[in-house]
Amino acid sequence: MLTVLVIDESKARAGEICAGLALAGYQVAAILAGADSLTAEVEKLQPDVILIDTDSPSRDTLENLAAMNKDMPRPVVIFTQEDGQETIRDAVKAGVSAYIVDGLDPKRIKPIVEVARARFEDTQALRRELDEISQKLSDRKLVDKAKGVLMKARGLDEDAAYHAMRKLAMERGQTMSKVAKDVIDMARVLL
């Protein structure tokens, strides 16, 4: 069963949200009055989704969401009355998956949460892909730099320098980027 951390300053509204979540088949992990201890609570409770109901998301709330999103990303849904473009942009930058203006209808909770989860999963997949591509580019730059070092130090052409590193990587059972880093580190010491 999906667990939801509810954040709402109003106990009455929080009660309505919990009823809507229960009707949608979700379990409420906890109800918080504010986002001050958000990271600690998320770490302790490990909710699947965070749902915030507020008149207007405060700067502190958005900062706490951004901090939590770095280490423990979760789908976040905000129900609010604030429809300012800058606030919406700040919320999205902080990691909010769904920003719903103009009230919370308990019948709409399930589809909104499911859309937020799908959006979150797509965003996470894109981040993983970006991280992989960035790492590959970084590795490629290291290999190119190490090839340059070998070409200069040993008078090799580019192809021979690449094959020398490749052979060393295979002999050591290491990646090309690890061997390239070792070559560069050794060049700093010796040259």
Side-chain angles (χ1 to χ4, degrees):
M1 181 180 289
L2 196 75
T3 60
V4 180
L5 174 61
V6 176
I7 301 173
D8 197 332
E9 307 98 13
S10 165
K11 287 187 178 191
R13 283 191 317 207
E16 290 175 26
I17 292 170
C18 291
L21 289 168
L23 286 173
Y26 302 137
Q27 179 181 350
V28 176
I31 301 170
L32 304 178
D36 300 336
S37 60
L38 182 62
T39 301
E41 292 295 329
V42 168
E43 190 170 359
K44 180 175 80 177
L45 300 169
Q46 296 292 312
D48 298 307
V49 176
I50 298 168
L51 191 149
I52 301 172
D53 188 21
T54 182
D55 292 329
S56 177
S58 70
R59 174 70 41 207
D60 288 343
T61 297
L62 296 178
E63 287 174 2
N64 284 319
L65 282 173
M68 180 222 52
N69 195 40
K70 286 181 185 173
D71 299 323
M72 298 173 289
R74 300 279 191 283
V76 177
V77 178
I78 291 184
F79 290 96
T80 184
Q81 299 301 315
E82 174 63 48
D83 63 355
Q85 187 175 4
E86 188 174 331
T87 303
I88 293 169
R89 287 182 190 271
D90 290 344
V92 170
K93 284 180 187 174
V96 172
S97 305
Y99 189 95
I100 312 301
V101 177
D102 212 14
L104 167 65
D105 179 357
K107 290 179 270 181
R108 292 179 31 208
I109 287 179
K110 187 172 181 97
I112 290 170
V113 167
E114 292 307 315
V115 166
R117 289 181 62 216
R119 178 84 140 159
F120 173 79
E121 289 166 10
D122 287 348
T123 301
Q124 290 303 106
L126 287 172
R127 283 196 176 128
R128 282 190 299 275
E129 187 176 338
L130 178 61
D131 289 346
E132 287 174 23
I133 291 169
S134 295
Q135 185 60 52
K136 286 179 182 178
L137 180 60
S138 178
D139 291 348
R140 177 69 186 204
K141 287 179 181 179
L142 272 177
V143 169
D144 286 346
K145 188 173 181 178
K147 282 191 305 189
V149 167
L150 288 176
M151 290 165 62
K152 184 177 178 183
R154 294 183 56 198
L156 301 173
D157 64 14
E158 185 176 357
D159 196 42
Y162 177 82
H163 285 294
M165 286 194 323
R166 185 167 175 237
K167 181 180 178 202
L168 188 57
M170 290 172 70
E171 288 171 358
R172 291 182 176 180
Q174 296 177 331
T175 63
M176 284 288 285
S177 62
K178 171 69 171 117
V179 169
K181 186 177 178 335
D182 291 347
V183 167
I184 293 165
D185 290 345
M186 289 307 293
R188 285 188 185 126
V189 172
L190 298 175
L191 303 177

